[in-house]
Amino acid sequence: MSKITTNRRRFIKGAAAGAAVLAAPAVWRSSARASDVVNVWTYANFIPDDFKAEFEKETGIEVRIRLVDDQGKQFNLLAAEAPNPTADVVTVAGHRFLQFIDSELLAPMDTGRLKNWGTINPVYSESDWATINGNKWGAPILSGAEIMAYNSEEVTPEEARSWDIMFDDKYAGRTAYIIQDMMSVMILAKGYDGNMIEYMDNPAQAAAIVEEVRDFLISHKDKVRKFYDSGAEIQQMFINQDVVLAHAWNGPISKLIMDGFPVRMTIPKEGSYGFVYTLNVANNGPNSDNAYKLLDALLASSQVGAEMTKASGFISTFKGADAHLSELEKKAASFTEEELEGLRFFRAEANKMKYELLDPAVEQIKAA
């Protein structure tokens, strides 16, 4: 395959700009409460620019976006502001619901206030993870998965079909991953339950599994160029050709594919985990009425769902959204049946035990 050269300059410029936006502090007015404001905490590109501009024009409501890049950081910030958060809408992954709900940081979703609720594919809106204590807690908007990303000019599809290639001497110093996320995947790859539900009654076994995976990652730490944090960061590393292999979320990699960069993604044969991003109403948020107006507008059409996919790279949960995607965009936002057979969804039942074990293990890997 010939090298792509004309697009890389554009990629480097665009990705660098995206990283700058992600790092920039949010600008807030003196008060979060106002009749013409809705405060949204969300990931970069989750709210399409065109939709935002049209919503503000039609409603007169300013959409103030505060970018987040990590579920834990968002939880900590929301908890610090409780019981009077500055946020009206937050973005929570379905497998993290219990943490936010138990801390009373989210309000139950009143689907009766969303006339466009039916736009969401019931595979997502009516799934077992979506209802807790008899309530819905979020509007599913995008679905994602932890995937193997690889530079298709240097790594073969056959090599990328196993997580083992991440730890092969052949690509030493040219791989990257998010440590905590990679630990769940490696627990699964070693034949264990990455959700740790199987070990809720046996915490000693859970601890031993985490120690095994921690020690494995430490023993192969020399293979990793960098432990990264954000989607923009891994995009830039591929663009700069710092890495040719990475564990990543499909969204940032899909964006590279959509723009013609020679990167591909797969769900390796050992399996991986998927999740659903939801938009949620913050408990006691300052402008809840405006929050519901924004959510209902987002759900108004499948075309908005397609635009969310184009902007974020994640798979839309809206019925009919793929009809508004090009063939390349569809390719960038889908997997084969064989790949999907290995996909599990994150579940939250054992999260307290799981993250009490994973969090210190992550720090130990970094410090090793």
Side-chain angles (χ1 to χ4, degrees):
M1 182 183 294
S2 62
K3 297 280 185 182
I4 291 181
T5 56
T6 56
N7 283 342
R8 281 190 171 131
R9 291 179 182 174
R10 172 171 56 83
F11 253 100
I12 293 170
K13 180 179 179 182
V21 170
L22 188 65
V27 178
W28 301 96
R29 291 180 181 174
S30 58
S31 173
R33 186 182 301 276
S35 61
D36 59 351
V37 164
V38 60
N39 304 296
V40 182
W41 294 3
T42 194
Y43 290 79
N45 302 317
F46 271 28
I47 305 294
D49 291 339
D50 290 345
F51 165 82
K52 177 178 178 291
E54 186 65 21
F55 176 81
E56 291 178 331
K57 178 180 178 181
E58 290 190 0
T59 65
I61 298 171
E62 178 191 358
V63 181
R64 296 184 193 162
I65 294 177
R66 180 169 189 164
L67 294 178
V68 298
D69 62 5
D70 179 82
Q71 290 285 290
K73 292 177 186 176
Q74 180 181 225
F75 172 84
N76 291 337
L77 184 56
L78 199 59
E81 291 189 350
N84 300 113
T86 57
D88 299 302
V89 175
V90 294
T91 308
V92 180
H95 62 284
R96 300 295 291 266
F97 272 177
L98 283 178
Q99 182 184 24
F100 286 78
I101 293 168
D102 289 347
S103 298
E104 300 182 348
L105 301 180
L106 303 180
M109 182 68 68
D110 184 355
T111 59
R113 299 181 66 178
L114 299 171
K115 65 179 185 294
N116 295 313
W117 180 259
T119 302
I120 305 171
N121 188 322
V123 168
Y124 301 103
S125 62
E126 307 306 319
S127 294
D128 54 3
W129 60 263
T131 301
I132 298 175
N133 300 331
N135 291 311
K136 305 287 187 187
W137 294 91
I141 54 167
L142 293 164
S143 177
E146 298 190 51
I147 52 86
M148 169 88 76
Y150 62 100
N151 185 315
S152 58
E153 294 179 343
E154 301 201 39
V155 180
T156 69
E158 291 75 21
E159 288 177 313
R161 284 296 291 145
S162 173
W163 288 111
D164 289 345
I165 196 63
M166 291 282 292
F167 310 103
D168 194 293
D169 288 337
K170 181 178 180 180
Y171 297 111
R174 306 183 74 193
T175 71
Y177 55 80
I178 301 170
I179 302 177
Q180 188 181 83
D181 295 341
M182 188 62 166
M183 288 195 72
S184 292
V185 169
M186 293 313 300
I187 290 172
L188 178 66
K190 290 182 175 296
Y192 303 118
D193 174 16
N195 284 316
M196 310 224 89
I197 296 170
E198 291 183 19
Y199 320 117
M200 290 179 69
D201 295 327
N202 192 346
Q205 184 180 7
I209 291 169
V210 170
E211 289 177 6
E212 177 185 342
V213 172
R214 177 202 64 193
D215 292 347
F216 174 81
L217 293 180
I218 289 174
S219 70
H220 290 284
K221 190 174 178 180
D222 61 313
K223 309 295 194 305
V224 184
R225 182 181 182 97
K226 187 175 183 181
F227 302 129
Y228 72 94
D229 294 312
S230 72
E233 189 175 5
I234 194 60
Q235 286 176 327
Q236 193 66 56
M237 291 176 74
F238 269 111
I239 292 163
N240 293 345
Q241 301 186 53
D242 294 329
V243 300
V244 296
L245 279 166
H247 157 283
W249 296 106
N250 63 308
I253 304 306
S254 292
K255 287 293 292 176
L256 292 180
I257 295 172
M258 288 180 190
D259 285 308
F261 193 79
V263 65
R264 296 291 180 266
M265 62 182 178
T266 185
I267 298 171
K269 62 184 181 181
E270 297 90 349
S272 189
Y273 284 99
F275 67 100
V276 178
Y277 277 121
T278 67
L279 291 178
N280 317 78
V281 177
N283 194 25
N284 202 34
N287 310 288
S288 61
D289 286 344
N290 290 348
Y292 276 99
K293 289 177 183 177
L294 176 69
L295 293 177
D296 206 37
L298 274 169
L299 300 176
S301 76
S302 59
Q303 186 168 356
V304 174
E307 290 302 318
M308 294 171 79
T309 288
K310 293 176 184 179
S312 70
F314 289 106
I315 301 168
S316 175
T317 62
F318 293 14
K319 292 183 290 189
D322 59 351
H324 305 284
L325 300 176
S326 68
E327 289 305 312
L328 178 60
E329 289 163 345
K330 290 177 184 177
K331 181 179 179 181
S334 63
F335 298 98
T336 67
E337 289 299 319
E338 180 184 4
E339 289 172 319
L340 289 174
E341 286 178 3
L343 188 64
R344 314 286 192 273
F345 276 90
F346 278 120
R347 292 173 58 184
E349 290 92 327
N351 272 4
K352 184 176 186 298
M353 177 184 71
K354 175 180 175 178
Y355 289 106
E356 284 178 350
L357 293 170
L358 288 191
D359 289 347
V362 168
E363 296 308 313
Q364 290 160 5
I365 294 169
K366 290 179 179 177

